[in-house]
Amino acid sequence: MRVLFFLLLRVDMEICILGPLVLSHTDRTIALTAPKPRSVLALLLLNADQAVQASTLIQDLWGRNPPASAQTTLQTYILQVRKCLGQLLGAAVAEIAQRMLVTVPGGYQLRLDATEFDLRTFEQLATAGRQALAAGENVEAAALLTRARDLWRGPALVDIRAGAVIGPRLRALEQIRLHTLEQCIEARMRLGHHQDVLAELTMLTAEHELNENLCAQLMVALHRSGRRQEALQAFHRLRVSLVDELGLEPSHRLRLLQRAILAEDPVLEVAPRDDGLTQILDHLVLAQARGR
C-alpha cells in the first residue's frame, strides 16, 4: 500500500527541463537554490531512469581536478536533492532514497516512473512525428511535431551551470530540438502552409546563419509565396556568411535550388505535395545528371 501511495503522489508531479528547471506537484513549486546540487539534479534528470556513476557527477561538478572531499561532498548534494524532492512530494527523505533517488552500485539513479517529464514527452512526440513524416502522414506529423516544439520554453536547463558532462549533453539536445523544428516546418510545408512558416524560418535562419537546410526551406517557402526575389536574397546571405566565416561556397544541392528558382522550375510550383524538400533537391540533382 505504501508503494502504491508513493506512486500516486508522483502522478501529480511535473518536471520540466526544456527551459528553466521547474519542479512542481499539484499547486506547489519548489526550487533548489545552491548551484552544485542543481547541477547534480540536472545530470540525473538528463539520465532519468538510468544509473549515473558518482565519478561522472564528480567530473561534471569539478572537472579533472576534484577536491579530496569530492565523494563526501557529492553525498551531501545528493541528500539536499532528496530533501528537495521530499518537500515537494510531502514524503520522508528515507522514502525518496528508497523509491525515487536511489543509490545503485557506483552511483545513483533517479526513477521517474509515472512522473510527468517534458523531455520524455518531447522525445516520444518527436519520434512519433518523424515516423509519421516518413510514412507520408503529413497532417499527423505536423500535429505531433508542433506539440513537441511547443514543449520548449527556451534553451534546456538554461539556469543550470553547464559542466564538463552536462555541457555536451545540452548541445546535443539543442541539435535534436533544431532537427525537430526543421521536420515540423517540413510537415507544414508539405501541407501547403508556406506563408505560415515564413516568420519562424526567418528567425531560425538569422539565428543559424550557416544552416543550409533551413535556408533551403526558407527559399522554397518564399518562392511558393510569390516572393522570388527574397528567396534569392536568402541564398545570397547564406553564401556571404559561408564565404566570410568558412571560406566555403554553398553546397551543390543548394546552388541547384537557386538555379531552379531563377529558372522558375515547375518542380517548385506544386503545393501542397506529398514529397518534401529532400525529394525536391534529389529531383534537381538527378535532372542535372541526366543533362536536362
Side-chain angles (χ1 to χ4, degrees), residues 17 67-68 118 220 222 230 261 263-264 292:
I17 70 170
D118 63 351
V220 172
L222 285 167
E230 292 175 63
I261 291 172
E264 298 188 75
R292 197 193 111 190

PDB file of all heavy atoms in Angstrom, residues 17 67-68 118 220 222 230 261 263-264 292:
ATOM      1  N   ILE A  17      12.504  20.533 -17.904  1.00  0.00           N
ATOM      2  CA  ILE A  17      13.888  20.971 -18.115  1.00  0.00           C
ATOM      3  C   ILE A  17      14.080  21.638 -19.473  1.00  0.00           C
ATOM      4  O   ILE A  17      15.166  22.141 -19.759  1.00  0.00           O
ATOM      5  CB  ILE A  17      14.882  19.799 -17.965  1.00  0.00           C
ATOM      6  CG1 ILE A  17      14.740  18.809 -19.124  1.00  0.00           C
ATOM      7  CG2 ILE A  17      14.715  19.107 -16.628  1.00  0.00           C
ATOM      8  CD1 ILE A  17      15.849  17.774 -19.166  1.00  0.00           C
ATOM      9  N   PRO A  67      38.319  18.007  -5.577  1.00  0.00           N
ATOM     10  CA  PRO A  67      38.948  18.052  -4.250  1.00  0.00           C
ATOM     11  C   PRO A  67      38.972  16.664  -3.615  1.00  0.00           C
ATOM     12  O   PRO A  67      38.227  15.767  -4.018  1.00  0.00           O
ATOM     13  CB  PRO A  67      38.042  19.008  -3.466  1.00  0.00           C
ATOM     14  CG  PRO A  67      36.712  18.880  -4.136  1.00  0.00           C
ATOM     15  CD  PRO A  67      37.004  18.669  -5.605  1.00  0.00           C
ATOM     16  N   ALA A  68      39.802  16.502  -2.618  1.00  0.00           N
ATOM     17  CA  ALA A  68      39.898  15.216  -1.925  1.00  0.00           C
ATOM     18  C   ALA A  68      38.567  14.831  -1.289  1.00  0.00           C
ATOM     19  O   ALA A  68      38.261  13.648  -1.112  1.00  0.00           O
ATOM     20  CB  ALA A  68      40.996  15.288  -0.870  1.00  0.00           C
ATOM     21  N   ASP A 118       8.910  16.631 -19.170  1.00  0.00           N
ATOM     22  CA  ASP A 118       8.774  17.215 -20.506  1.00  0.00           C
ATOM     23  C   ASP A 118       9.778  16.666 -21.514  1.00  0.00           C
ATOM     24  O   ASP A 118       9.465  16.513 -22.701  1.00  0.00           O
ATOM     25  CB  ASP A 118       8.821  18.742 -20.451  1.00  0.00           C
ATOM     26  CG  ASP A 118      10.132  19.310 -19.936  1.00  0.00           C
ATOM     27  OD1 ASP A 118      10.982  18.546 -19.437  1.00  0.00           O
ATOM     28  OD2 ASP A 118      10.309  20.549 -20.018  1.00  0.00           O
ATOM     29  N   VAL A 220      12.379  27.944 -50.547  1.00  0.00           N
ATOM     30  CA  VAL A 220      11.200  27.324 -51.156  1.00  0.00           C
ATOM     31  C   VAL A 220       9.917  27.987 -50.662  1.00  0.00           C
ATOM     32  O   VAL A 220       8.998  28.270 -51.444  1.00  0.00           O
ATOM     33  CB  VAL A 220      11.183  25.813 -50.870  1.00  0.00           C
ATOM     34  CG1 VAL A 220       9.857  25.188 -51.324  1.00  0.00           C
ATOM     35  CG2 VAL A 220      12.343  25.126 -51.577  1.00  0.00           C
ATOM     36  N   LEU A 222       9.488  31.049 -49.513  1.00  0.00           N
ATOM     37  CA  LEU A 222       9.365  32.390 -50.107  1.00  0.00           C
ATOM     38  C   LEU A 222       8.954  32.300 -51.574  1.00  0.00           C
ATOM     39  O   LEU A 222       8.078  33.045 -52.045  1.00  0.00           O
ATOM     40  CB  LEU A 222      10.699  33.139 -49.973  1.00  0.00           C
ATOM     41  CG  LEU A 222      11.030  33.677 -48.581  1.00  0.00           C
ATOM     42  CD1 LEU A 222      12.495  34.112 -48.502  1.00  0.00           C
ATOM     43  CD2 LEU A 222      10.123  34.851 -48.217  1.00  0.00           C
ATOM     44  N   GLU A 230      13.083  37.673 -52.730  1.00  0.00           N
ATOM     45  CA  GLU A 230      13.536  37.457 -51.359  1.00  0.00           C
ATOM     46  C   GLU A 230      14.142  36.058 -51.190  1.00  0.00           C
ATOM     47  O   GLU A 230      15.063  35.867 -50.391  1.00  0.00           O
ATOM     48  CB  GLU A 230      12.370  37.649 -50.392  1.00  0.00           C
ATOM     49  CG  GLU A 230      11.877  39.090 -50.316  1.00  0.00           C
ATOM     50  CD  GLU A 230      10.644  39.228 -49.457  1.00  0.00           C
ATOM     51  OE1 GLU A 230      10.747  38.932 -48.239  1.00  0.00           O
ATOM     52  OE2 GLU A 230       9.584  39.599 -49.984  1.00  0.00           O
ATOM     53  N   ILE A 261      15.035  28.281 -58.896  1.00  0.00           N
ATOM     54  CA  ILE A 261      14.210  29.464 -58.617  1.00  0.00           C
ATOM     55  C   ILE A 261      14.396  30.495 -59.724  1.00  0.00           C
ATOM     56  O   ILE A 261      13.421  31.094 -60.217  1.00  0.00           O
ATOM     57  CB  ILE A 261      14.564  30.058 -57.238  1.00  0.00           C
ATOM     58  CG1 ILE A 261      14.111  29.089 -56.130  1.00  0.00           C
ATOM     59  CG2 ILE A 261      13.907  31.419 -57.039  1.00  0.00           C
ATOM     60  CD1 ILE A 261      14.564  29.478 -54.742  1.00  0.00           C
ATOM     61  N   ALA A 263      15.164  29.906 -62.775  1.00  0.00           N
ATOM     62  CA  ALA A 263      14.554  29.380 -63.998  1.00  0.00           C
ATOM     63  C   ALA A 263      13.057  29.121 -63.839  1.00  0.00           C
ATOM     64  O   ALA A 263      12.406  28.687 -64.793  1.00  0.00           O
ATOM     65  CB  ALA A 263      15.246  28.087 -64.401  1.00  0.00           C
ATOM     66  N   GLU A 264      12.534  29.368 -62.640  1.00  0.00           N
ATOM     67  CA  GLU A 264      11.120  29.077 -62.337  1.00  0.00           C
ATOM     68  C   GLU A 264      10.773  27.636 -62.710  1.00  0.00           C
ATOM     69  O   GLU A 264       9.776  27.357 -63.381  1.00  0.00           O
ATOM     70  CB  GLU A 264      10.194  30.066 -63.040  1.00  0.00           C
ATOM     71  CG  GLU A 264      10.420  31.508 -62.597  1.00  0.00           C
ATOM     72  CD  GLU A 264       9.383  32.470 -63.141  1.00  0.00           C
ATOM     73  OE1 GLU A 264       8.237  32.447 -62.620  1.00  0.00           O
ATOM     74  OE2 GLU A 264       9.700  33.223 -64.067  1.00  0.00           O
ATOM     75  N   ARG A 292      19.310  17.525 -68.233  1.00  0.00           N
ATOM     76  CA  ARG A 292      18.092  18.283 -68.550  1.00  0.00           C
ATOM     77  C   ARG A 292      18.362  19.770 -68.623  1.00  0.00           C
ATOM     78  O   ARG A 292      19.137  20.305 -67.860  1.00  0.00           O
ATOM     79  CB  ARG A 292      17.051  18.018 -67.469  1.00  0.00           C
ATOM     80  CG  ARG A 292      15.651  18.409 -67.899  1.00  0.00           C
ATOM     81  CD  ARG A 292      14.704  18.434 -66.746  1.00  0.00           C
ATOM     82  NE  ARG A 292      14.304  19.816 -66.464  1.00  0.00           N
ATOM     83  CZ  ARG A 292      13.632  20.179 -65.396  1.00  0.00           C
ATOM     84  NH1 ARG A 292      13.344  19.309 -64.488  1.00  0.00           N
ATOM     85  NH2 ARG A 292      13.267  21.411 -65.222  1.00  0.00           N
TER      86      ARG A 292
END
